[in-house]
Amino acid sequence: MEESSGKTTKKHPWFWSSAVASIVLRLVLIVYFPNTLNFSSRPEVSTPITSLRRLAEGYWLKQSSMSPYAGSMYHGSPLLLSILGPLTGDRGEGQSHLLCGLAFVIADFITAILIRAIGQLLQVADIQSLKSLGASKFSKTSENFPAGDIAALVYLWNPLTIITCLGYSTSPIENLMIVLSLYGACRRLVPLAAFGLVMASHLSLYPVILIIPLVLLIGSGLDTPPRKLFLQPNHGDGYKKTNFSWRRVVLFFLWASVWALYVLVLCSISLKEYSGLGEMFKRTYGFILSVEDLSPNIGVLWYFFAEVFDFFRDFFLIVFHINILFMVLPLAIRLHHRPCFLAFVYIAISSILKSYPSVGDSALYLGLLGLFVNALADMQFSFFLFSGYLGTLLLSPVMHNLWIWRGTGNANFYFATAMAYACFQIILVVESVSSMLNHDRALKKGATPVAKKIQ
Amino acid sequence: MRNREINNFLILTTLLVITLSLSSSSITHAAVHTNNWAVLVCTSRFWFNYRHMANTLSLYRTVKRLGIPDERIILMLADDMACNARNKYPAQVFNNENHRLNLYGDNVEVDYRGYEVTVENFLRVLTGRHENAVPRSKRLLSDEGSHILLYMTGHGGDEFLKFQDSEELQSHDLADAVKQMKEKRRFKELLIMVDTCQAATLFSQLQSPGVLAIGSSMKGENSYSHHLDSDVGVSVVDRFTFYTLAFFERLNMYDNASLSSLFSSFNPNLLMSTAYYRTDLYQEQVEKVPVTNFFGSVMKTIHTDSAYRGTSGKDSSRVKYDVISGQSDDVDARRMTSSDPEKQGDHPDIKLVKGGGCPHADWWNAIVEKFQGIKNGDMIVNYGLVGMLTLVAVSTWQSS
C-alpha cells in the first residue's frame, strides 16, 4: 500500500501544483479584476436562488428587523444568511464582495480535495474488485489513471466552476455539501453523510434524491461490478460476500433526522420574530417547486411556464417535477451496484431538469464525471459533446445580448441555446450510463478465472 | 354523580354563551373611523333660487377648507347660477352682499349638474346602486368606516323635498335609502343637515342607528332667507346656512368644537324658526364629538417608532402606537395598546400548556418561555452553527 501511494505521489506530483495554481488564478481574478468580469449579472451563473446580490438584500432586510423573505428577493436558507450575510459588506467604490469570494474559493478547494479523496477510495475498491474478478488489464488501467486526481483537477480547472466562483453564486456551497455527503457515505462515516445530505437538501431541494445512492453506499459499499459476475463458478472463493448492512442505514436515517431537527430549530430561532418556518418553507421550497420567477436562465422551465395557461399550470408543474422523480427508481434498479455513479447520474439529471439551473450545477457533475474515466473511456460522441458544450455556452451570452440589449433577437434565440444545452447534457447522461453498462458487460466477457493465474 | 356532571355542563355552557355574546358585542364596534365623505345637494333650479345654490356652495367651500378633498365630495347642483344669463357677475357666486367670498372659484368640482340632479340619481348615489358606466367621481365610495355629511337644501314641505320643481323626495324614501346604506355598511355615522321649510319632517322616518340629523325648521315652520343682495337681485343665502357658516368661519382644521356647540349656536330668534335636531339614533354623545368628524377630515396620524413589519400578519398587535398630542380624545379611533415586541409573550406558534393537569407541562412551559425570551436570535443561530460544525467533526471522528 505504501509503495503504491508513494508511486502515485511520485508519478503525479503535478496534482498539488495544479490545484494551487487554480486557486491562485481565482484569487487573482477576484482581487484584481473585480469589475471587468461581471459574471454575477449573467443569468447562466446566478439564479434567483443562488444569487449573492439577493442574499445581501435578504441580510439587509434582516438587519432592518424585517423578514428576510419580504419582497421576494431572497429565497435561500436563513442559515446561509447568518454565515454569508456578514461577509457581504458595503460595496465600496469598485470593491465587490471580496470576503464572499474568498469563502467560495475555499469551498471550491475543499470540494476538490473531497472529490480527490472519493476518487482514491473508488480506485482502491475498483482495483480490489477487478483483481478478485481476475480482469487484470482493466485493473492495470485503473492503477495508471488516478481517477481522483483527474476528477479534482477537472473540477478545479473547469471554466464553469471558475465562472461560478467569480460570479458570486452560492452554488459552490451547495456543491460542497453534496460532495461532503458522498464522501461521508464512501468512507462509511454515517454522521457526515447525513449532515451533508440534510444541508444540501436544505439549501436547494433537489439533492434529496441522493438519499438512494447514499443509502446504497452506506449499506453495500462502493462501486463494484455487478454481483452476478462474482457468482460465476470459476471464481467464487476470492470474493467476500458482504451483506447489506441495515444497521448502518438505520443509523444514517437517525442521524439525518437529528441534523434535520437541528437545522429546523436553528431556522425557527433565526426567523422567530418574523413569521417562522411556514414562511420559510413557502418562500424557499415553495418558490423552487412552483417556479414563481420566470426570468430567463439556462434551463427550460422558464419559457414554458411563461406561456402556459393558469388552468394547466399546476398540472405542468407536477409533470416537470415528476420528470425527475420517475427516473429515480429505474436507474436505482439498474445501477444499484454502482452507487457513486448513480449519484452522478442523479446530480446530472437534477441539474438539467431543476427549476433554476445554472452552470454551477453542471460544474459539479462534470467534475464527478472525472471519477469514472476508467469505465467511461469508451464513451461515444465525446468530442461531439465537448464541442456542443463549448458552442452552446459561448453562444448563450451572445443570444442573451441580442435579445435583451440590442433587441434584434427575441426570447426564442436564447431559449434555443438553452434547449441545445439541455440536449447535450441529456446526451452526456445517456452516453455515460450506456458506456458504464457496456463496461460491465466487457468485464463479464474479459473476466478470466483466478485459479489459472499465478500471482 | 350525574347531577354534578350536569351542573358542570350547564355552568360551562352558560359561560360559553356569555363569552360568545361579549365577544360578539365587541365585534359590532369593530369599524374604525377612517374617512369622511360629504354629499351636498341643491335641489332647486331657476334664478330666484340663487340662495340654495349659494347655500350648497358655501358648505362645499367650508367642507373643503376643513379638509375633505374633492374625491370624497359629491356636489349636486340643480342649476347653474354662476354662468346664468341673468348673473351680473359672471362665474361668481356670492353668499353675502358684501361680495367678500366668491364661492365659485377655480377649484369647484360639480359631480351632478343640471338635470342630472334627480331623485333617482340621489338615491343611487346614497345606496351605491349605479349602472356600470357611471364613473367613480359620481359614486359615493364610502365604506364601513366612513362618516358622511349629507346636506340638502331647496324647497321642501311636510315629509318631502322638492327636486327640480318636478318631483319630490319623500321622507320614507330617504329613510329607506339610509336603511339600505346601513345594511350595506356604507357608513359608520351619518349627519343629515336639511335647510328647507319644515325640514325636520324630512328625517322623521329614520330608524337606522348611527344617524344624526338637524333641520332648519320644524313642522309647520318656514325657513327664511337671510338677506337680499340688491346688486345681484336675489336673496343670496338662507338663515340657517348663514348662521352655520358663521359658526364655521371661526374654525380651522384643528379646532375641536363639538357638535353640541354647533347645535346650540342656532338662535331661534335670529333664524326665525326652530332648528330641530335628532340625536336618538346616534350612540355617541354630541358634546364629545368634534364637528370635524363630519365637516372636516382630520385624519389621526399615528406615529410609530418601530420598523415596518412587512409580511407577517400577526405583527399588528405587537407594534407600539403613539397618538400625537394636541388631538382631542377621539371616541372612535381605536388606540392600539401593545407590548414591546421583546416582552411579547404571545407567540401564536407555540401555545402554553395549562399547567396542573399534565406533569410535563411545567418544564414545557419553562422551555417555551425561555425560547420566547431569546432576545438576540442571531447570536443563538451563530452559536448553533458553530455547535453544529463541532458536532459534525466530533461525530465523524468518533465513527471513523
Side-chain angles (χ1 to χ4, degrees):
Chain A
M1 263 315 185
E2 253 178 304
E3 200 186 353
S4 62
S5 65
K7 247 198 271 183
T8 45
T9 46
K10 242 196 263 177
K11 267 192 189 173
H12 318 287
W14 37 264
F15 171 71
W16 287 107
S17 45
S18 315
V20 170
S22 80
I23 301 291
V24 166
L25 172 71
R26 280 163 222 252
L27 288 175
V28 160
L29 285 176
I30 287 178
V31 171
Y32 288 112
F33 298 96
N35 288 330
T36 44
L37 307 166
N38 277 327
F39 286 126
S40 54
S41 58
R42 296 238 57 87
E44 293 94 352
V45 178
S46 71
T47 64
I49 304 181
T50 60
S51 166
L52 194 70
R53 193 172 58 91
R54 288 176 180 248
L55 193 145
E57 169 90 13
Y59 181 67
W60 182 85
L61 283 170
K62 190 139 184 250
Q63 294 301 103
S64 323
S65 346
M66 286 183 253
S67 164
Y69 300 110
S72 179
M73 271 297 268
Y74 180 60
H75 293 281
S77 150
L79 301 182
L80 214 56
L81 274 186
S82 307
I83 300 176
L84 286 181
L87 297 179
T88 64
D90 280 326
R91 297 178 65 134
E93 304 87 27
Q95 195 80 345
S96 304
H97 307 292
L98 207 72
L99 289 173
C100 276
L102 285 177
F104 294 139
V105 169
I106 293 173
D108 265 350
F109 186 64
I110 298 177
T111 314
I113 301 296
L114 288 174
I115 293 181
R116 179 170 185 251
I118 295 176
Q120 282 170 344
L121 289 168
L122 276 178
Q123 191 180 10
V124 164
D126 211 20
I127 293 174
Q128 210 174 24
S129 52
L130 286 177
K131 277 219 171 84
S132 68
L133 267 186
S136 54
K137 64 177 194 296
F138 291 104
S139 66
K140 278 229 171 51
T141 50
S142 194
E143 270 174 24
N144 285 335
F145 281 100
D149 293 355
I150 292 177
L153 284 179
V154 163
Y155 183 77
L156 278 178
W157 281 98
N158 195 352
L160 297 180
T161 18
I162 298 182
I163 288 173
T164 314
C165 190
L166 299 175
Y168 299 114
S169 123
T170 58
S171 302
I173 297 186
E174 291 170 19
N175 295 349
L176 172 64
M177 290 301 156
I178 296 176
V179 172
L180 194 68
S181 68
L182 277 179
Y183 173 71
C186 287
R187 279 281 302 269
R188 302 285 188 96
L189 297 170
V190 170
L192 192 64
F195 173 71
L197 178 72
V198 164
M199 285 307 292
S201 42
H202 175 68
L203 290 175
S204 81
L205 180 60
Y206 292 93
V208 78
I209 56 176
L210 289 176
I211 202 168
I212 294 180
L214 287 180
V215 159
L216 287 172
L217 272 173
I218 290 177
S220 27
L222 289 163
D223 288 12
T224 54
R227 184 89 52 95
K228 57 185 181 191
L229 293 187
F230 293 101
L231 300 177
Q232 285 179 11
N234 17 20
H235 39 71
D237 36 342
Y239 175 66
K240 305 181 292 234
K241 264 202 200 122
T242 53
N243 291 322
F244 192 81
S245 97
W246 284 104
R247 192 186 69 88
R248 283 221 175 95
V249 171
V250 167
L251 205 61
F252 171 75
F253 281 117
L254 219 61
W255 273 106
S257 45
V258 164
W259 293 123
L261 199 66
Y262 197 105
V263 163
L264 286 177
V265 163
L266 278 186
C267 286
S268 60
I269 293 178
S270 170
L271 293 175
K272 180 174 71 80
E273 285 172 26
Y274 314 115
S275 30
L277 283 181
E279 201 202 359
M280 182 188 92
F281 283 128
K282 192 164 76 92
R283 293 300 186 122
T284 52
Y285 294 161
F287 178 77
I288 293 176
L289 288 176
S290 66
V291 192
E292 287 170 9
D293 187 302
L294 296 175
S295 47
N297 49 51
I298 206 151
V300 293
L301 268 80
W302 59 275
Y303 189 85
F304 186 78
F305 280 102
E307 59 183 9
V308 72
F309 290 118
D310 273 341
F311 184 74
F312 296 107
R313 196 190 156 85
D314 291 333
F315 167 68
F316 280 111
L317 276 174
I318 296 176
V319 165
F320 272 85
H321 288 299
I322 283 187
N323 205 4
I324 304 179
L325 287 177
F326 87 89
M327 289 201 232
V328 163
L329 196 58
L331 281 169
I333 293 174
R334 193 67 181 86
L335 290 171
H336 69 276
H337 55 280
R338 292 188 179 272
C340 240
F341 184 70
L342 187 66
F344 156 73
V345 177
Y346 282 172
I347 293 172
I349 290 175
S350 69
S351 42
I352 302 171
L353 298 171
K354 67 197 290 194
S355 29
Y356 303 100
S358 70
V359 290
D361 310 314
S362 312
L364 177 64
Y365 76 75
L366 286 175
L368 290 178
L369 182 66
L371 288 173
F372 309 103
V373 276
N374 299 316
L376 301 181
D378 292 327
M379 198 163 85
Q380 283 181 310
F381 308 130
S382 48
F383 180 68
F384 172 65
L385 283 174
F386 174 70
S387 19
Y389 264 77
L390 199 62
T392 49
L393 287 172
L394 286 176
L395 273 181
S396 175
V398 173
M399 295 304 168
H400 189 256
N401 190 329
L402 276 185
W403 173 30
I404 305 272
W405 297 107
R406 292 172 195 269
T408 52
N410 55 35
N412 298 322
F413 287 48
Y414 188 68
F415 185 61
T417 52
M419 267 207 300
Y421 185 62
C423 285
F424 285 117
Q425 288 180 307
I426 292 173
I427 296 177
L428 176 74
V429 168
V430 168
E431 283 308 313
S432 57
V433 170
S434 58
S435 59
M436 181 60 85
L437 295 175
N438 283 338
H439 175 71
D440 283 341
R441 282 189 210 112
L443 278 181
K444 188 169 150 195
K445 284 207 196 102
T448 53
V450 167
K452 291 193 182 152
K453 287 256 171 194
I454 300 166
Q455 293 286 338
Chain B
M1 275 285 284
R2 198 166 287 183
N3 278 338
R4 197 172 293 167
E5 285 173 6
I6 294 177
N7 282 343
N8 288 341
F9 178 67
L10 284 174
I11 290 171
L12 277 175
T13 45
T14 44
L15 280 174
L16 194 66
V17 166
I18 289 170
T19 47
L20 275 178
S21 58
L22 281 176
S23 56
S24 64
S25 65
S26 64
I27 285 171
T28 52
H29 285 291
V32 177
H33 171 210
T34 47
N35 52 40
N36 283 0
W37 281 81
V39 180
L40 310 172
V41 186
C42 163
T43 59
S44 36
R45 56 172 38 241
F46 306 128
W47 174 248
F48 52 84
N49 292 320
Y50 184 101
R51 62 188 187 281
H52 297 143
M53 202 71 52
N55 288 348
T56 318
L57 284 170
S58 318
L59 244 312
Y60 175 76
R61 177 185 168 270
T62 302
V63 147
K64 267 181 86 160
R65 188 174 63 85
L66 291 178
I68 304 186
D70 270 318
E71 294 116 37
R72 295 205 287 271
I73 303 178
I74 307 264
L75 180 60
M76 302 170 85
L77 299 180
D79 199 1
D80 187 7
M81 300 303 168
C83 301
N84 198 308
R86 293 163 87 161
N87 192 358
K88 187 176 163 195
Y89 299 92
Q92 285 163 311
V93 175
F94 305 112
N95 68 348
N96 201 315
E97 62 177 347
N98 56 20
H99 293 190
R100 195 170 56 89
L101 277 174
N102 172 19
L103 300 171
Y104 209 80
D106 31 310
N107 204 8
V108 170
E109 237 182 64
V110 183
D111 299 301
Y112 287 82
R113 63 190 71 221
Y115 285 109
E116 288 171 354
V117 180
T118 58
V119 174
E120 181 195 344
N121 280 349
F122 173 69
L123 291 177
R124 280 187 189 276
V125 163
L126 283 188
T127 54
R129 296 165 67 170
H130 294 279
E131 303 279 329
N132 286 346
V134 170
R136 282 172 69 89
S137 60
K138 283 185 164 170
R139 295 181 189 233
L140 178 64
L141 299 167
S142 55
D143 53 29
E144 57 191 5
S146 306
H147 284 186
I148 303 184
L149 166 71
L150 174 59
Y151 175 80
M152 291 182 281
T153 181
H155 288 290
D158 193 1
E159 310 258 340
F160 72 90
L161 174 65
K162 189 167 76 157
F163 266 68
Q164 303 264 17
D165 215 22
S166 63
E167 52 181 359
E168 57 196 31
L169 172 77
Q170 303 212 337
S171 56
H172 53 257
D173 290 329
L174 182 64
D176 192 54
V178 172
K179 191 170 173 200
Q180 282 191 44
M181 286 173 82
K182 189 71 194 174
E183 255 180 63
K184 291 167 79 162
R185 287 192 246 172
R186 279 166 71 75
F187 66 92
K188 184 167 180 284
E189 288 171 17
L190 175 65
L191 172 63
I192 301 181
M193 201 178 222
V194 188
D195 187 1
T196 68
C197 303
Q198 305 188 55
T201 56
L202 191 64
F203 46 80
S204 59
Q205 307 281 338
L206 287 175
Q207 285 165 349
S208 314
V211 179
L212 193 57
I214 177 163
S216 59
S217 50
M218 296 186 64
K219 180 179 160 104
E221 292 177 352
N222 289 335
S223 294
Y224 297 98
S225 63
H226 191 260
H227 62 267
L228 170 75
D229 183 346
S230 39
D231 214 2
V232 174
V234 283
S235 304
V236 286
V237 70
D238 277 335
R239 282 179 184 261
F240 178 74
T241 310
F242 180 82
Y243 289 111
T244 310
L245 293 175
F247 178 86
F248 278 108
E249 285 298 309
R250 297 193 307 261
L251 297 182
N252 64 20
M253 271 167 95
Y254 298 106
D255 281 331
N256 48 6
S258 66
L259 276 178
S260 64
S261 60
L262 169 65
F263 292 164
S264 47
S265 72
F266 296 120
N267 185 348
N269 296 330
L270 293 176
L271 282 182
M272 292 159 70
S273 59
T274 317
Y276 172 74
Y277 60 95
R278 189 182 164 175
T279 53
D280 55 326
L281 297 169
Y282 191 58
Q283 278 100 355
E284 318 287 338
Q285 289 180 300
V286 285
E287 293 86 25
K288 299 219 179 96
V289 179
V291 288
T292 47
N293 262 19
F294 293 99
F295 288 89
S297 183
V298 186
M299 286 291 107
K300 284 257 176 288
T301 323
I302 301 175
H303 177 254
T304 168
D305 276 329
S306 67
Y308 169 66
R309 289 171 195 277
T311 49
S312 45
K314 66 180 190 205
D315 24 42
S316 57
S317 58
R318 288 190 177 202
V319 185
K320 207 175 200 164
Y321 284 82
D322 292 318
V323 181
I324 55 174
S325 60
Q327 293 301 325
S328 62
D329 217 68
D330 200 65
V331 204
D332 31 15
R334 176 170 294 177
R335 179 192 294 260
M336 305 232 202
T337 53
S338 74
S339 44
D340 208 18
E342 291 179 347
K343 295 183 206 143
Q344 181 62 264
D346 181 27
H347 197 281
D349 292 342
I350 303 174
K351 295 203 177 19
L352 289 180
V353 174
K354 275 216 168 45
C358 181
H360 302 294
D362 292 326
W363 58 259
W364 173 250
N365 284 347
I367 287 179
V368 164
E369 276 168 24
K370 194 137 198 232
F371 180 74
Q372 289 160 0
I374 293 174
K375 289 202 182 357
N376 204 346
D378 288 334
M379 291 298 291
I380 304 285
V381 172
N382 290 341
Y383 287 140
L385 285 170
V386 169
M388 183 159 72
L389 290 174
T390 47
L391 198 59
V392 170
V394 164
S395 57
T396 313
W397 177 73
Q398 269 262 305
S399 57
S400 66

